[in-house]
Structures are given as structure tokens and as C-alpha cells.
């Protein structure tokens, strides 16, 4: 086998020059017990979701709340970005390793991963020191605070942090990978960390270890000194304050930061500021989990639960905007702003894609480098296993598609022409009808053609376009259903503020945000699939270009792509689902408190249709996408897909018309006017 083969120390060449350089490493991960991998996958996926949502939520809150536009919260937003990036460098790879037996990473991929881990770890150390200095100036020199900690200085400090981090990362990574690696290639860790990689070098590592220990100690003790000196002055100043209220306020701005400092530096010192001979690899893996996975999740929670300003901002964002001038606050949530923040989320996961190709094994790299004939078209097998039923299936699906288009167009026309339905709830319903027509039309016409045609091919470009538009509309529908649940919450729980909260501008912004999220998720998911090489089989075991069957055809390891698809499908499903569940929990509580039976019946009637549509939609989407790649067979996947791509768009207008009194009344009025034009 190549130099990447598994070797023991006894097999190491006696002369470094006569050795074959290792081209890839094997990551042993956290455990080799198969029965634990599924549980650990779910646990770490949940932690990673909380990490991203918490840190990105903190960034959005700070950017949108004027009261948080201060240096302290500017640094906190940068810290949140560093935490999200830091966790993203290693957690997706860890999740992939829980699902795959081959846990290899290329030599170049290992270099990139270590460089990014070192960069963000160093940046976090320096940033925590800067935040301590900010608290020192704020509490010890309050009159000079805005003069010293100016906007320009804040930007310069952050820039200096990243400059120093890049320099330290380049120094350490350069020294480590200048060493020869020609023997064992098994890394006893779940990512390319410095101590386990050094143990594999085929040369004396004493000099490199001394450089690493010196650099780690220098950064740690330099930043710790700034933290200790700053907080020593801060505590002395707080003790001299005569007002207990002033003391409590000063301490409240420091306690969150002190908690994070203790957690961060405790694990870092334990890991790195010690001779490597004292390290215990098994123990260090679990310590690494704490500072690379758990701490980035804890930071936004610590700052939100222990910081009065952040808690107040959250209350203003989610409570005060319902009663005090909501238009002014909600005006900040323009579509452009939402798109910008979602794209900022995509920047966080960019590093995961930068080293994706580098993680491939040599054979896979050869495929990706162009030593193959790329696929130019795909064959959609669809329901070709049933040749005798093709005409019958054509007639059935043509009828369903015609009912889908006519039903949803009829719903849109009814809402547009009946003035009594000109309300936010029915505006959202008309958009839902439009989405149902669109994403059903993306797949159904091609399926109908394939029932009658012998050539069931679709071009590579056509497959990309079909998947792109499909993901756009399905994601937009997921977020639109959440907007409709929020609308019902405001209507039932805050009826007096309904007209002022759910303004026309707010409704348009929510719809624009749904499409913004749909577009961003579509770009990410489609790019994730079609950056893979397709060079062999081209038969898609589906009736349209869906993600799971396409991943089966890739000529490369699809584990990372599968994790990305699973993660972002979970994100765009569970975030709206959380909004829906929260909204309807509060709605049911409000309905339960109503004394009037007629009031309860009316409130339930406006929610029943929406809740039924939500249950059907999310049940099928979760079954199809929010599970590890390969957990369903092709037949069950196609049947479930038929349900949510073809049947649900047909059912929605009937659900809303047959179970909604206002829609039925409007339909009766239209029928009466048309039958009696006099």
C-alpha cells in the first residue's frame, strides 16, 4: 500500500531519506465501540447546533439592538464568531467519523485543520485579554472610556488579534510539518492536534516541542497576565465604590467574562503548557472535547444568562416589540439585513469546505483531479420498476397536478379578490399556495414526461437547476409555516396589538426572509452535492434530482457531504419547528384560559388547518432528510417524496378551504355572485 498504510514503530525506516512520506493519517476518534457511535453522533450534533445557533443568535442580537452597540459587545460578537468558527473546524469531521468506518484525513487536510485550530485558539486567548482590558478601562477610568476605547481602536485590536493568530499558527504548523512522517500514521485523537501528531514524526522532536511549549506558554501567560492585572485593578476599584448598586452593576459586567476565562485557560494550560511526556492521550481527548466543542456552546449561554444587558435586549427583542412601537424595531429586520446575517452564517462553515477535498484519500483525489470522464447527464429511474403501470400512473399524477395548480391558483384568486380575506393570515396563505405550485411544478412535469418517454435522461445542468429550485421552495415553505404560526400566536395571545405588530411591512419582510433563507440553504446544499465528482454510474433511483440518491452516485467519500446535508436540513427544519411549537404552546395556553366556549372554538378553527398542514409537511421532510445518509431505502424514499412533493401541495388548498369558515364563506359569496350576476 502507499505511504499512508498503517505502520508500526518497528517498521520505521532506519534512514529518513529511504522512507516513503506519509500521505494520509487515520483518526482513531473518541471511541471504537460501534454501539456508542450513534448516541455520540446525536449528542455532538445537538451540541454543534446549539453552538451555531447560540453564537449566531448573539451576533444578530448585538447587531440589531442599539443598546448593545458598545465596545464590550462588539468584542463579544467577535468572540461569538471565533467560537462558531473554532467549533466548525473539528466538529463536522468528528460527526463524520461517527458514521463512517474509514476515518482517514489527507496530509494536506491535517495541515489545514491544525492551522485553523491554532489560529482560532490563539485568537480566543488574545480576545479574552482584550475584553479584560476593556472592562478595566470601563470600571477604573469611566470618564475616559469612550476616548480610549474608540471604534477605531476596537477594530485595530481585533485586526491585531487575527494578525498575531495567523503568525502563531504559521509558526507552529510550519515547524510541526517540516518534520518527516514516514512511519506510523494513526493519530490517537479525533482531530489533528499537536501532541498526537508530534508522536508520529520520524525524527527527534525535542526542538519542535520546546518551540511549541514556549509559544503556547508565551501566549497563555501573556494573556493571563493582562487578565489578572486588569481584574486586580477592577476588583480594587469595585471595593472602593460606596454604592452597593454600583458594585453590583460593575460585577455583573465582569462575572460572565471571568467564568469564560476560567473555563478556557484551565483546559488550555492542562493541554499544552506541559512537557509532552506528561500528557495522557486518552485523557487529553476528553479535555479537547471540552474546549473545542463544549466551551463554544457555553459562551453565548453564559453571556445571555448572566448578563443583564443581554437579557434585557432579548426581552426587548421578543416582548417589548409587541407592545411598544413595533414598526421601529422590526424595521431593522429588512430582507437585506437578514440575507447578510445568514450569509455570515455561511462564512462560519466555509472552513469546513476549504479542507473537504484535502481530506480525500489518494485514490479519491485522483478522481477529483480530473483523471476520469465526468457525467454529463443522469437517468431518472423513477417508477420504471412498474412498466405495466406507467400509463395509469401518468393519468393519476396528471390529475393530482391539475388539482394542485387549480386549487392553489383558486385560493390565490379568492384571497386577492375578496376584501374580507385581506389580512396577514390570508396573505401568508396566498404565498403558501404560490410556493406549493412552484415546488410541485419543479418535479411533476418531468415525472409526467418520463412516464411516457423512453429517454428518461436529464442533463447535468438541468439536474443542478432542478435541485436548486426545489430546495429554495421547500426551505421557504418551512420558514413560511413558522411565520404563519407566529401570526396565530400574536392574533390569539396579543389580539389588541395584532394590527400594530403584524403590519404589511412586517408580513413582506417575513416572506422575504423565508425566500432569503431558502436561497442561502439552496446554494449551500446544491454546492455541497455538485462539488463532488460524478464519474461513474449515472442512474438516479428517484423521479427527480434529490440529494440522497445523488450522493450515492458520487465518485468520492460522501461522508462529509452527508453530514453537511443532514446538519443543514436539521437546521432549516428544527428552527422553524421550534418557533411553531413555542407559538402553539402559548396559543393553547391562551385558549385554555378563555372562558367563552365560542371564543375557544373560533380560536381553534383558525389554527386547526395550519396545524394539520404543518404536521403533514414536517413529518415527511424529517423522515426524508433529517437522518444520516443511507438510513432509508430507495423505494420508501420515493414514496415519501411523492407525498410531500405532489400530494401535500394538492391537499393544502382543500385543508384550508374545507376547515376554514371564512374561506368557505368567501367561496360561497363568489359562487353566488357568479351564478346571479344580476
Amino acid at each position: 500500500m502507499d505511504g499512508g498504510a498503517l505502520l508500526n514503530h518497528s517498521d520505521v525506516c532506519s534512514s529518513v531519506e529511504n522512507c516513503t512520506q506519509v500521505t494520509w493519517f487515520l483518526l482513531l476518534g473518541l471511541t471504537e465501540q460501534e454501539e456508542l457511535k450513534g448516541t455520540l453522533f446525536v449528542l455532538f450534533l445537538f451540541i454543534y447546533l446549539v453552538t451555531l445557533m447560540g453564537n449566531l443568535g448573539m451576533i444578530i442580537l448585538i447587531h440589531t439592538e442599539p443598546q448593545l452597540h458598545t465596545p464590550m459587545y462588539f468584542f463579544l460578537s467577535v468572540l461569538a464568531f471565533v467560537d462558531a468558527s473554532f467549533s466548525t473546524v473539528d466538529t463536522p469531521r468528528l460527526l463524520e467519523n461517527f458514521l463512517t468506518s474509514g476515518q482517514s484525513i489527507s496530509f494536506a487536510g491535517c495541515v489545514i485543520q491544525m492551522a485553523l485550530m491554532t489560529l482560532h485558539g490563539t485568537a480566543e486567548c488574545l480576545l479574552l485579554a482584550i475584553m479584560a482590558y476593556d472592562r478595566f478601562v470601563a470600571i477604573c477610568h469611566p470618564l475616559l472610556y469612550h476616548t480610549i476605547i474608540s471604534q477605531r481602536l476596537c477594530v485595530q485590536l481585533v485586526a491585531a488579534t487575527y494578525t498575531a493568530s495567523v503568525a502563531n499558527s504559521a509558526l507552529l504548523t510550519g515547524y510541526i510539518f517540516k518534520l518527516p512522517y514516514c512511519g506510523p500514521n494513526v493519530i490517537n485523537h479525533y482531530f489533528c492536534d499537536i501532541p498526537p501528531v508530534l508522536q508520529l514524526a520520524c525524527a527527534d522532536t525535542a526542538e519542535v516541542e520546546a518551540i511549541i511549549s514556549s509559544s503556547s506558554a508565551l501566549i497563555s501567560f501573556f494573556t493571563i497576565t493582562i487578565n489578572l492585572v486588569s481584574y486586580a485593578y477592577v476588583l480594587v476599584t469595585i471595593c472602593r465604590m460606596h454604592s452597593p448598586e454600583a458594585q453590583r452593576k460593575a460585577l455583573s459586567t465582569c462575572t460572565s467574562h471571568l467564568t469564560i476565562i476560567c473555563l478556557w485557560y484551565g483546559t488550555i494550560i492542562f493541554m499544552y503548557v506541559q512537557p509532552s511526556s506528561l500528557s495522557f492521550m486518552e485523557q487529553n481527548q476528553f479535555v479537547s472535547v471540552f474546549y473545542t466543542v463544549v466551551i463554544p456552546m457555553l459562551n453565548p449561554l453564559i453571556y445571555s444568562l448572566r448578563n443583564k444587558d443581554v437579557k434585557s435586549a432579548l426581552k426587548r427583542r421578543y416582548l417589548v416589540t409587541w407592545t411598544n412601537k413595533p414598526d421601529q424595531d422590526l424595521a431593522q429586520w429588512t430582507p437585506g439585513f437578514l440575507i447578510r446575517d445568514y450569509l455570515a452564517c455561511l462564512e462560519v462553515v466555509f472552513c469546513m469546505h476549504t479542507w473537504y477535498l484535502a481530506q480525500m484519500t489518494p485514490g479519491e483525489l485522483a478522481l477529483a483531479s480530473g483523471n476520469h470522464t465526468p457525467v454529463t447527464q443522469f437517468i431518472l429511474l423513477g417508477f420504471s420498476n412498474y412498466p405495466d403501470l406507467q400509463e395509469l400512473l401518468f393519468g393519476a399524477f396528471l390529475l393530482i397536478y391539475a388539482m394542485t395548480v387549480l386549487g392553489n391558483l383558486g385560493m390565490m384568486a379568492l384571497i386577492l379578490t375578496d376584501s374580507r380575506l385581506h389580512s396577514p393570515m390570508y396573505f401568508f396563505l396566498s404565498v403558501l399556495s404560490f410556493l406549493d405550485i412552484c415546488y410541485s411544478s419543479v418535479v411533476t412535469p418531468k415525472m409526467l414526461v418520463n412516464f411516457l418517454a423512453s429517454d428518461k435522461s436529464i442533463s447535468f445542468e438541468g439536474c443542478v437547476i432542478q435541485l436548486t429550485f426545489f430546495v429554495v421552495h421547500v426551505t421557504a415553505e418551512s420558514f413560511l409555516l413558522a411565520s404563519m404560526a407566529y401570526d396565530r400566536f400574536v392574533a390569539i395571545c396579543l389580539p389588541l396589538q395584532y394590527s400594530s405588530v403584524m403590519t404589511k411591512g412586517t408580513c413582506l419582510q417575513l416572506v422575504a426572509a423565508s425566500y432569503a433563507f431558502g436561497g442561502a440553504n439552496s446554494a449551500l446544499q446544491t454546492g455541497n452535492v455538485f462539488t463532488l465528482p460524478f464519474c461513474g454510474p449515472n442512474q438516479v433511483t428517484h423521479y427527480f434530482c434529490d440529494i440522497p440518491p445523488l450522493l450515492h452516485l458520487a465518485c468520492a467519500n460522501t461522508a462529509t457531504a452527508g453530514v453537511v446535508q443532514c446538519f443543514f436540513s436539521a437546521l432549516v427544519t428544527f428552527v422553524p419547528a421550534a418557533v411553531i411549537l413555542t407559538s402553539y404552546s402559548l396559543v393553547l395556553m391562551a385558549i385554555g384560559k378563555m372562558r367563552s366556549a365560542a371564543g375557544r372554538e373560533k380560536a381553534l378553527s383558525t389554527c386547526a388547518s395550519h396545524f394539520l398542514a404543518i404536521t403533514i409537511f414536517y413529518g415527511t421532510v424529517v423522515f426524508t432528510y433529517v437522518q444520516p445518509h443511507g438510513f432509508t431505502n430507495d423505494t420508501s424514499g420515493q414514496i415519501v417524496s411523492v407525498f410531500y412533493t405532489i400530494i401535500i401541495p394538492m391537499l393544502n388548498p382543500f385543508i384550508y378551504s374545507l376547515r376554514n369558515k371564512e374561506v368557505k364563506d368567501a367561496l360561497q359569496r363568489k359562487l353566488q355572485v357568479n351564478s346571479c350576476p344580476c
Side-chain angles (χ1 to χ4, degrees):
M1 191 176 288
D2 198 3
L6 305 183
L7 302 172
N8 297 319
H9 279 284
S10 59
D11 301 323
V12 178
C13 303
S14 58
S15 174
V16 170
E17 288 77 8
N18 296 328
C19 288
T20 302
Q21 178 72 14
V22 166
T23 57
W24 57 280
F25 296 100
L26 185 70
L27 297 169
L28 291 185
L30 284 177
T31 181
E32 295 181 358
Q33 300 180 33
E34 294 296 329
E35 63 273 13
L36 292 179
K37 288 187 176 181
T39 303
L40 290 174
F41 173 82
V42 174
L43 174 63
F44 282 100
L45 177 62
F46 173 76
I47 293 174
Y48 185 51
L49 283 169
V50 174
T51 299
L52 279 191
M53 292 171 61
N55 284 289
L56 291 171
M58 182 67 72
I59 293 171
I60 292 172
L61 182 66
I62 291 170
H63 278 293
T64 57
E65 194 63 33
Q67 287 85 347
L68 300 183
H69 291 176
T70 63
M72 181 177 79
Y73 293 108
F74 168 73
F75 292 132
L76 178 56
S77 67
V78 178
L79 179 68
F81 177 78
V82 171
D83 281 335
S85 303
F86 187 50
S87 181
T88 299
V89 174
D90 70 313
T91 309
R93 180 74 199 187
L94 175 63
L95 294 172
E96 175 191 339
N97 288 348
F98 286 137
L99 301 179
T100 58
S101 56
Q103 301 172 1
S104 62
I105 182 171
S106 72
F107 190 90
C110 191
V111 174
I112 295 171
Q113 189 181 60
M114 183 183 292
L116 290 174
M117 288 293 290
T118 307
L119 189 154
H120 290 103
T122 306
E124 181 129 354
C125 284
L126 296 173
L127 196 61
L128 289 173
I130 291 171
M131 294 172 75
Y133 173 70
D134 170 80
R135 291 300 82 207
F136 158 71
V137 178
I139 294 172
C140 300
H141 302 284
L143 299 179
L144 300 176
Y145 181 68
H146 293 291
T147 304
I148 297 175
I149 309 294
S150 62
Q151 183 178 5
R152 181 179 180 182
L153 179 64
C154 292
V155 173
Q156 289 174 342
L157 288 172
V158 171
T161 295
Y162 269 96
T163 301
S165 301
V166 170
N168 184 56
S169 176
L171 175 71
L172 296 186
T173 310
Y175 270 105
I176 291 168
F177 288 100
K178 279 175 63 179
L179 295 169
Y181 293 88
C182 53
N185 66 342
V186 179
I187 298 177
N188 187 20
H189 216 303
Y190 62 91
F191 72 97
C192 290
D193 200 11
I194 294 174
V197 171
L198 275 180
Q199 288 195 336
L200 305 181
C202 303
D204 185 9
T205 61
E207 182 181 351
V208 175
E209 287 179 16
I211 293 172
I212 292 169
S213 295
S214 300
S215 175
S216 300
L218 179 65
I219 292 171
S220 297
F221 290 132
F222 172 72
T223 53
I224 287 174
T225 301
I226 294 176
N227 282 303
L228 291 176
V229 172
S230 297
Y231 275 110
Y233 277 102
V234 165
L235 291 175
V236 170
T237 303
I238 291 174
C239 291
R240 291 176 179 174
M241 293 178 179
H242 298 292
S243 169
E245 181 64 27
Q247 290 178 331
R248 280 196 298 271
K249 184 177 180 181
L251 284 172
S252 69
T253 64
C254 300
T255 50
S256 300
H257 186 232
L258 279 171
T259 304
I260 291 172
I261 286 174
C262 293
L263 291 172
W264 174 259
Y265 281 104
T267 53
I268 290 295
I269 291 174
F270 183 87
M271 283 292 300
Y272 297 111
V273 188
Q274 57 178 326
S276 61
S277 59
L278 298 177
S279 299
F280 300 94
M281 289 302 168
E282 296 294 333
Q283 186 178 11
N284 281 359
Q285 284 193 56
F286 293 98
V287 178
S288 297
V289 166
F290 193 74
Y291 85 88
T292 63
V293 180
V294 178
I295 289 180
M297 176 192 71
L298 292 178
N299 284 353
L301 300 179
I302 291 171
Y303 270 99
S304 59
L305 297 177
R306 298 183 60 87
N307 188 292
K308 184 179 178 182
D309 289 339
V310 174
K311 288 191 288 186
S312 299
L314 284 169
K315 290 179 181 178
R316 284 194 297 272
R317 176 58 54 192
Y318 296 110
L319 295 176
V320 178
T321 54
W322 296 339
T323 55
N324 294 332
K325 300 179 181 179
D327 290 339
Q328 291 182 5
D329 290 332
L330 290 172
Q332 298 175 18
W333 291 81
T334 60
F337 182 83
L338 288 161
I339 294 170
R340 186 189 73 186
D341 276 316
Y342 197 77
L343 292 178
C345 170
L346 300 184
E347 289 181 20
V348 173
V349 300
F350 174 75
C351 53
M352 182 166 59
H353 289 279
T354 58
W355 48 266
Y356 170 69
L357 289 177
Q359 295 176 21
M360 296 181 184
T361 58
E364 293 168 343
L365 283 171
L367 288 170
S369 64
N371 297 329
H372 57 81
T373 303
V375 168
T376 57
Q377 66 176 15
F378 295 100
I379 307 297
L380 298 173
L381 296 181
F383 298 97
S384 57
N385 292 335
Y386 311 97
D388 297 336
L389 299 177
Q390 295 298 295
E391 293 182 358
L392 179 62
L393 290 173
F394 172 82
F397 283 111
L398 178 61
L399 176 63
I400 292 172
Y401 183 57
M403 294 175 66
T404 299
V405 175
L406 291 174
N408 284 288
L409 284 176
M411 181 65 73
M412 293 169 62
L414 184 65
I415 293 170
L416 182 65
T417 57
D418 196 300
S419 58
R420 300 184 189 183
L421 300 182
H422 290 178
S423 66
M425 182 176 79
Y426 294 107
F427 168 73
F428 289 130
L429 179 55
S430 66
V431 177
L432 179 66
S433 295
F434 176 76
L435 283 172
D436 283 338
I437 293 173
C438 289
Y439 86 73
S440 180
S441 297
V442 169
V443 299
T444 310
K446 180 63 179 175
M447 182 180 68
L448 293 173
V449 170
N450 288 347
F451 281 134
L452 303 179
S454 57
D455 182 11
K456 304 180 188 300
S457 64
I458 182 172
S459 68
F460 188 91
E461 294 78 8
C463 193
V464 174
I465 293 170
Q466 187 182 59
L467 180 59
T468 299
F469 280 99
F470 179 74
V471 176
V472 166
H473 290 102
V474 172
T475 306
E477 178 146 343
S478 182
F479 281 94
L480 188 69
L481 290 172
S483 300
M484 295 173 75
Y486 173 71
D487 169 78
R488 290 300 82 206
F489 159 70
V490 179
I492 295 172
C493 299
L494 303 167
L496 299 179
Q497 288 83 38
Y498 182 69
S499 59
S500 60
V501 173
M502 299 305 296
T503 62
K504 183 178 180 180
T506 301
C507 294
L508 291 173
Q509 289 170 357
L510 288 171
V511 171
S514 298
Y515 266 99
F517 289 132
N521 184 51
S522 177
L524 181 74
Q525 297 273 30
T526 308
N528 177 53
V529 172
F530 288 104
T531 52
L532 295 170
F534 292 88
C535 53
N538 67 340
Q539 293 186 338
V540 180
T541 54
H542 216 304
Y543 60 90
F544 73 100
C545 291
D546 201 9
I547 295 173
L550 286 172
L551 288 179
H552 279 298
L553 303 181
C555 304
N557 185 355
T558 61
T560 299
V563 170
V564 171
Q565 178 255 318
C566 180
F567 168 69
F568 280 97
S569 297
L571 187 65
V572 299
T573 302
F574 291 139
V575 170
V579 174
I580 291 167
L581 289 175
T582 303
S583 298
Y584 275 112
S585 298
L586 296 173
V587 164
L588 292 175
M589 290 174 60
I591 292 175
K593 294 178 181 178
M594 292 180 180
R595 298 180 180 179
S596 169
R600 288 196 295 269
E601 184 180 353
K602 182 178 180 181
L604 285 172
S605 68
T606 64
C607 300
S609 302
H610 184 232
F611 196 76
L612 180 59
I614 286 170
T615 304
I616 296 172
F617 179 80
Y618 278 103
T620 53
V621 169
V622 169
F623 182 87
T624 305
Y625 296 108
V626 187
Q627 56 184 318
H629 176 46
F631 274 39
T632 57
N633 59 52
D634 299 329
T635 303
S636 65
Q638 286 193 67
I639 294 172
V640 174
S641 296
V642 164
F643 198 74
Y644 83 90
T645 62
I646 298 173
I647 305 297
I648 290 179
M650 178 193 70
L651 292 178
N652 279 348
F654 294 100
I655 291 172
Y656 278 99
S657 60
L658 297 177
R659 298 185 59 87
N660 189 295
K661 186 176 184 298
E662 291 179 337
V663 173
K664 288 191 289 185
D665 291 343
L667 187 59
Q668 288 176 359
R669 286 193 297 272
K670 288 296 175 186
L671 292 175
Q672 290 173 359
V673 170
N674 292 333
S675 60
C676 301
C678 56

